[in-house]
Amino acid sequence: MRIGNLEIDSPVRLAPMAGVTNASFRLVSKECGSALITSEEIDATGLVRHTDRSEQIATFHPTERPLAMQLLGNDAETLVEAMEVLQERGADIIDINMGCPMPKITRSGKGSALMRDVPATALILRALRRSCQVPLTIKIRGGWDMQHLNAVEVAQMAESEGVDAITVHPRTRSQRFAGRAPWQIIRDVVEAVNIPVTGNGDVTSYSEALQMMAETGCSSVMIGRGALGQPWVFNPDFEGWNVERQREYRERAIARHMELIRTFYPEGRYSLLQVKRHLSYYARGMRSVRECRRTIFAECDTRDEAWTTFRHFWDAA
Ligand SMILES: Cc1cc2nc3c(=O)[nH]c(=O)nc-3n(C[C@H](O)[C@H](O)[C@H](O)COP(=O)(O)O)c2cc1C
């Protein structure tokens, strides 16, 4: 797939997830096959004020390229300033979050609230397009609620403002993550615009991603929750391997993920939480999954202890 002047090798890629898709998870996903990776949402105001939190989220490793960096905001001037900061640091794509459903975000007019006022959002995208040197993309939902399903209208507006590609998560803001994602809306957007559309929602395997592409005509697929505890979902060959080969690959990916966490984050609260959280995802499907998770969270005080505990349960599984 091509986004602006950027050729992306593989069509199935990691979706941004706040609190999850930090550099270590992005890199292990990339090494498994996600050719393009996206940062967590970065609050534009926080970034221009250089808050510790925004700086931490905006940090990436040189090997992560190409990297899309996602901004959250609703003020054109602030978004442009934040976009210039990210561009200067090397972002390969600037993505604007127009889908976040969290009330604390939408109350201030950000995230999916941008879909409510199409003319105002057009002005924001116009301002961004004027100074953005790299591809500019947006990530939208089906609409605000079932009475306002305007993904097609927003997509057409974005295309006419010079946006290079669109990701569609077809649930509405009010649906949050409930029910099944209505893939038909992705198809409607694909048919309405001439720029690449990425589909997203409820995909948990590479073959399902191919099915979404076939059913909707989208040119790539983003996987979010389906990648938690299984970054190998991005490997096109994985499903065709026998159980032993899959287990060996999974084991290597998990160990690599833990190594990346150690490399990027010094021992401490954040690092330990990352190890525990992801090992708990990796424990899914084990016979003694509950006992493994309980022991990791209740009894392990260091990353080494958590890893040794996980290995014990993994070897017994
Ligand atoms: C914990 C969590 C955090 C998320 N954070 C973001 C975010 O920062 N930016 C964004 O555009 N979407 C965010 N999303 C939405 C996902 O990118 C994706 O659209 C959604 O999970 C549906 O895809 P899935 O069914 O593959 O998970 C988040 C989702 C989850 C579960």
Side-chain angles (χ1 to χ4, degrees):
M1 156 166 107
R2 215 180 158 76
I3 299 181
N5 55 4
L6 212 62
E7 191 60 45
I8 313 293
D9 294 338
S10 157
V12 185
R13 60 196 176 100
L14 179 65
M17 285 181 285
V20 180
T21 53
N22 56 17
S24 59
F25 193 60
R26 292 194 299 260
L27 262 181
V28 75
S29 299
K30 184 181 176 68
E31 289 171 10
C32 286
S34 174
L36 178 63
I37 43 186
T38 309
S39 75
E40 304 169 53
E41 59 193 17
I42 307 164
D43 184 74
T45 309
L47 189 67
V48 300
R49 290 185 187 155
H50 299 287
T51 63
D52 290 348
R53 169 111 187 99
S54 306
E55 286 299 331
Q56 188 199 2
I57 301 176
T59 302
F60 62 92
H61 194 261
T63 54
E64 290 193 61
R65 318 285 298 276
L67 176 67
M69 301 194 79
Q70 189 186 65
L71 281 172
L72 189 63
N74 68 333
D75 173 65
E77 216 175 296
T78 314
L79 276 166
V80 167
E81 207 179 318
M83 182 272 290
E84 281 166 351
V85 171
L86 296 179
Q87 208 170 245
E88 172 94 16
R89 292 185 190 177
D92 297 290
I93 290 177
I94 299 291
D95 186 56
I96 305 300
N97 182 322
M98 291 176 52
C100 183
M102 306 300 283
K104 76 170 196 247
I105 302 293
T106 56
R107 262 198 300 273
S108 54
K110 302 173 186 173
S112 55
L114 289 177
M115 295 186 70
R116 299 187 88 179
D117 190 342
V118 180
T121 301
L123 294 179
I124 294 175
L125 295 177
R126 197 171 303 167
L128 282 162
R129 179 72 288 172
R130 229 178 278 132
S131 25
C132 187
Q133 320 279 314
V134 295
L136 177 65
T137 62
I138 60 172
K139 182 161 176 282
I140 64 175
R141 281 196 168 235
W144 179 255
D145 55 27
M146 293 311 273
Q147 285 69 49
H148 302 88
L149 285 174
N150 65 346
V152 164
E153 181 195 359
V154 171
Q156 286 174 328
M157 173 277 287
E159 180 178 31
S160 66
E161 294 300 339
V163 163
D164 294 289
I166 300 173
T167 299
V168 184
H169 174 53
R171 286 191 183 86
T172 63
R173 181 271 329 173
S174 60
Q175 282 175 303
R176 296 265 194 113
F177 292 105
R180 214 169 151 79
W183 287 7
Q184 175 60 38
I185 293 182
I186 302 171
R187 190 177 178 87
D188 294 343
V189 173
V190 168
E191 285 169 359
V193 295
N194 291 309
I195 50 178
V197 174
T198 297
N200 165 241
D202 298 342
V203 172
T204 57
S205 66
Y206 201 94
S207 51
E208 273 175 33
L210 295 181
Q211 189 190 336
M212 179 185 263
M213 289 167 73
E215 279 184 27
T216 68
C218 66
S219 46
S220 79
V221 171
M222 262 189 189
I223 302 181
R225 292 163 301 166
L228 296 174
Q230 48 163 14
W232 41 85
V233 73
F234 301 109
N235 186 317
D237 302 322
F238 182 81
E239 284 171 75
W241 292 339
N242 63 27
V243 175
E244 289 76 36
R245 185 148 181 217
Q246 286 187 345
R247 185 176 162 90
E248 204 179 293
Y249 188 85
R250 285 161 56 212
E251 201 170 305
R252 254 187 291 132
I254 298 169
R256 173 66 176 148
H257 188 182
M258 294 303 120
E259 183 193 340
L260 288 165
I261 294 177
R262 277 169 186 285
T263 310
F264 294 149
Y265 318 110
E267 180 96 67
R269 236 174 74 96
Y270 179 79
S271 188
L272 181 60
L273 183 66
Q274 286 297 312
V275 166
K276 288 186 173 187
R277 184 184 281 172
H278 285 283
L279 287 180
S280 136
Y281 289 132
Y282 288 125
R284 196 166 44 203
M286 277 184 186
R287 239 176 300 130
S288 41
V289 52
R290 281 179 166 210
E291 182 58 8
C292 175
R293 285 177 176 162
R294 195 203 59 76
T295 314
I296 286 175
F297 275 98
E299 295 177 18
C300 298
D301 296 325
T302 64
R303 301 180 300 192
D304 281 348
E305 280 172 28
W307 177 233
T308 308
T309 301
F310 177 84
R311 287 303 310 237
H312 166 76
F313 282 97
W314 176 272
D315 289 340

